Amino acid sequence: MYNIVKKEVLSPGVLLFDVAAPLIAKKCQPGQFVILRIDEDGERIPLTIADFDREAGTITLIFQEVGHTTRQLGALNKGDALLDLVGPLGKATHIDNFGTVICIGGGIGVAPVYPIARAYKQAGNKVISIIGARNADLLILEKEMAAVSDELIITTDDGSKGRKGLVIHPLQEMIDAGMKIDTVMAIGPVIMMRSVADVTRPHNIHTIVSLNPIMVDGTGMCGGCRVSVGNKNKFACVDGPEFDAHQVDFNGLMARQRMYQEHEKMERCGGGSCKCNK
Amino acid sequence: MQQVKHKMPEQAADQRRRNFNEVALGYEAETAKAEAARCLQCKTAPCRQGCPVEIDIPKFIKNIKEGDFDAAIDEIKTKNNLPAVCGRVCPQEDQCEKYCIMGKKGEPVGIGRLERFAADYAMATGREDKVDVPAEVLGKVAVIGAGPAGLTTAGDLARLGYKVTVFEALHAPGGVLMYGIPEFRLPKAIVQREIAALRKLGVDIQVNAVIGKSYTIDELLNEEGYDAVFIGTGAGLPHFMDIPGENLNGVYSANEFLTRVNLMKAYKFPQTGTPVRVGRRVAVVGAGNVAMDSARTALRLGAEKVYIVYRRSEEEMPARHEELEHAKEEGVEFRLLTAPVQVLGDDKGWVKGIECIKMELGEPDESGRRKPVPVEGSNYVLDVETVVMAIGQGPNPLVQDTTPGLAVNKRGNIMADETGATSKDAVFAGGDIVTGAATVILAMGAGKKASAKIHEYVQNKKAAR
Ligand SMILES: Cc1cc2nc3c(=O)[nH]c(=O)nc-3n(C[C@H](O)[C@H](O)[C@H](O)COP(=O)(O)OP(=O)(O)OC[C@H]3O[C@@H](n4cnc5c(N)ncnc54)[C@H](O)[C@@H]3O)c2cc1C
Ligand SMILES: Cc1cc2nc3c(=O)[nH]c(=O)nc-3n(C[C@H](O)[C@H](O)[C@H](O)COP(=O)(O)OP(=O)(O)OC[C@H]3O[C@@H](n4cnc5c(N)ncnc54)[C@H](O)[C@@H]3O)c2cc1C
Ligand code: SF4
Ligand code: FES
């Protein structure tokens, strides 16, 4: 059992948990994730390790309530425990002193970007971060990102905070202004990652994205997390989750993420008996 | 004397094809005694040469014949930690029963059924295993992977007096027995009861521990104080065909499909959290046990039509005969000499069909089997909403990739000799990770040999110090 030692609400439907998991806290690196199960009948779901405290033996998970399991998780409190927690899984981010790095986080994607941005900074890079959300209320980890970035740019769809617009707009401007960019790291909704890739591709800027296909085991056993990268099948859980953005088949990924939509509706609405059409 | 085996009571095909309860129901005591009475108690006991774990077959059968079922299970358990599993899923027709004298004129003695009977009887009566673990601790061994190979190694070493820790990546021990082989062939409660017996021997099983991530092999040996490591990580890497449309929604690897259903209990969704999607019509590609299990599982999840698509003929099918017959009885439709060329999708990215081409058998290939060649222009489409790829698995690379000095062959399997010794000092391996996908009992046999070798290795090392 893995105890929840801290719970915080970051924005509506976005929660932060610190979970006691000494072995994972000792080993994990930026870019890695865990798979958890709440109880005996529970689903295995992957979440990025958003932070870790090796001394306290805790890891931080930040998640959005989107469906059955994340909502069930959100209903837990400090003092409750998770039944299973396995990790660290996936390959760690390749951290080096590249020069200038742009870290882009969209929505909940800011959470996984944060430890990576911090590691880039510690490695001596100039870190410019762009974080975005639909509106000011949904923006997370602003202070934390500011602390590890040389510059922080905020965008919101409705202009309620920072610049009005999408995260790719400031990126495009930097490119147009002829800024030297050595690496771009982008994590967020697939659509966002795809448009970042579209922006950097013509300029051949090395761009990394972290993919989140549906997973079951997280050890390369089920093949459910396969994505097409450079026309080859890769398993995101063991070969990734980070890949070269210019090689990823984003359309295929988007289609696969819709795999369980109907089932989720059924689960949410009492087996399909209600007519709420959510 | 009766020339045929006593019939195995079974759930009727039209009932069982829609439930997950066990298909074969097991012998009653009287039937078991009568079947045991067919054994000639041969002095040479040829049956024994076919048993990878060297059970004294005539002896336990004699016990059953005499009605001493407790003695029968005690005898089996001296060699086999998982008799209720083996009695259900071992390919006895290719092992012990293949050599049985009775098989020369009629049918061999139902050795597997008798093994199952003895194990089930012991479970039903709550008989405890004889646990006589030595008081002195001989050493500390780490076992990686809680499949049949790892569990066997762990049990044997615990009996010898070792402190054994098993590290398992998933949240439940058992390996394929838990996530692969379906409930209707091997109830999960039985697997867990056999594992509980191992825990009574003092084996510590740590789940949610992925070696290569949680610890590396070198860390286990150099920092965590283990004298030796056994790797039994199995063949869990699913193969795909590399045909167009394989990433459409509705295409599963057999591993994902079966894991969702068995380990995650998707057949009880939404009471359980994990869904599985089965269309009205399902195509399963392949014809081994894994394919039969997938096809029969799809039926039980409510599919109206389930096809097996296989490029060779029935003769070459690798599945056990019994499983093939069961699948047929339940209504699985076989499209033999047929190979998929692409999966077709609708405009939303979902499977709507699988395009196949007919094959004919040509000249024999390297494997000695006649090679299937496509019949030009014979393409046709099977309308299906789900495709399950059951065309084989490769070795899981997590451990190999993080263990310098561990030799692997070109397919990625760990190289080990017949005692389980690898190229790396203190590291042993066995089961599917060495041989490629094989059988439960072969994995157990490898575990037995390795545990003997590990014992020898650790004692020599201690003596040298
Ligand atoms: C490597 C990895 C790291 C992740 N890290 C985080 C994280 O740090 N924080 C976070 O909030 N989420 C993260 N996710 C996504 C998270 O796993 C899913 O949101 C979660 O599994 C949904 O489970 P559910 O039962 O609540 O929702 P479901 O009922 O399963 O689904 C609800 C909705 O979410 C979509 N969905 C389902 N699974 C995924 C998925 N794997 N990725 C994206 N959308 C999905 C469905 O299409 C559906 O629309 C990560 C996913 C991966 C693969
Ligand atoms: C669907 C299906 C049906 C089958 N039917 C039959 C049958 O009827 N009869 C028969 O004899 N055989 C059958 N087999 C084959 C048989 O199950 C295997 O040969 C046998 O299970 C191999 O045992 P193993 O211990 O080598 O590996 P596995 O059973 O594969 O166990 C390996 C274990 O190691 C774990 N693991 C992997 N990597 C790591 C890691 N890095 N760290 C920690 N743990 C790890 C895995 O999670 C798994 O639990 C079937 C196989 C399948 C898939
Ligand atoms: S070969 Fe057959 S008849 Fe002879 S001892 Fe073995 S099981 Fe009995
Ligand atoms: S999650 Fe199963 S292979 Fe990646």
Side-chain angles (χ1 to χ4, degrees), chain B residues 38-42 45-47 57-58 61 99-102 109 111:
Chain B
R38 292 180 63 228
C39 170
L40 303 173
Q41 292 294 314
C42 315
C47 50
I57 294 167
I61 293 184
Y99 300 93
C100 173
I101 300 290
M102 287 294 285
V109 174
I111 301 170

Side-chain angles (χ1 to χ4, degrees), chain B residues 89 145 147-149 168-169 175-176 185 209 211 232-234 258 293 431-432 438-440 443:
Chain B
V89 303
E168 167 56 46
V176 173
R185 264 207 310 132
I211 302 305
T233 46
L258 292 170
D293 283 346
D432 282 5
T439 62
V440 172

Side-chain angles (χ1 to χ4, degrees), chain B residues 86-269:
Chain B
C86 290
R88 285 174 167 78
V89 303
C90 270
Q92 291 98 9
E93 63 280 8
D94 289 329
Q95 298 180 161
C96 50
E97 294 181 16
K98 182 166 154 189
Y99 300 93
C100 173
I101 300 290
M102 287 294 285
K104 297 270 187 291
K105 285 223 182 87
E107 282 186 350
V109 174
I111 301 170
R113 295 172 183 186
L114 291 174
E115 180 182 27
R116 168 182 169 154
F117 168 78
D120 287 1
Y121 182 86
M123 277 192 192
T125 54
R127 182 178 175 77
E128 300 276 329
D129 287 351
K130 286 194 206 150
V131 182
D132 37 13
V133 175
E136 191 198 353
V137 177
L138 296 183
K140 208 175 138 189
V141 178
V143 169
I144 304 169
L151 292 173
T152 302
T153 310
D156 280 15
L157 285 171
R159 278 210 184 80
L160 285 167
Y162 287 84
K163 197 169 166 310
V164 183
T165 307
V166 181
F167 296 96
E168 167 56 46
L170 294 171
H171 59 255
V176 173
L177 308 179
M178 280 308 282
Y179 77 73
I181 302 179
E183 181 80 15
F184 56 84
R185 264 207 310 132
L186 179 63
K188 302 306 145 214
I190 287 177
V191 180
Q192 288 311 314
R193 258 189 292 182
E194 300 223 8
I195 288 169
L198 276 176
R199 286 202 166 103
K200 283 221 186 80
L201 286 173
V203 174
D204 174 27
I205 304 180
Q206 301 216 0
V207 294
N208 298 318
V210 185
I211 302 305
K213 296 286 180 185
S214 305
Y215 296 102
T216 61
I217 301 263
D218 286 320
E219 284 169 345
L220 290 173
L221 290 169
N222 304 332
E223 290 165 32
E224 303 296 321
Y226 289 96
D227 298 306
V229 174
F230 175 81
I231 306 172
T233 46
L237 184 83
H239 289 165
F240 290 91
M241 294 186 75
D242 280 332
I243 54 174
E246 225 174 358
N247 284 355
L248 288 164
N249 284 346
V251 183
Y252 286 103
S253 75
N255 273 359
E256 182 182 359
F257 186 67
L258 292 170
T259 299
R260 283 179 180 271
V261 179
N262 295 323
L263 183 69
M264 305 311 296
K265 305 257 174 290
Y267 62 91
K268 294 187 187 157
F269 183 89

Side-chain angles (χ1 to χ4, degrees), chain A residues 180-236:
Chain A
K180 185 175 165 295
I181 300 172
D182 297 289
T183 290
V184 172
M185 163 66 67
I187 310 182
V190 182
I191 296 227
M192 182 206 97
M193 294 192 285
R194 185 177 65 176
S195 33
V196 169
D198 289 342
V199 167
T200 58
R201 188 179 291 110
H203 307 276
N204 245 330
I205 299 170
H206 181 231
T207 304
I208 306 289
V209 289
S210 178
L211 304 185
N212 59 346
I214 287 169
M215 293 188 174
V216 184
D217 58 301
T219 65
M221 183 269 279
C222 75
C225 66
R226 63 192 187 277
V227 286
S228 176
V229 181
N231 286 322
K232 283 213 185 74
N233 251 344
K234 297 279 178 187
F235 292 177

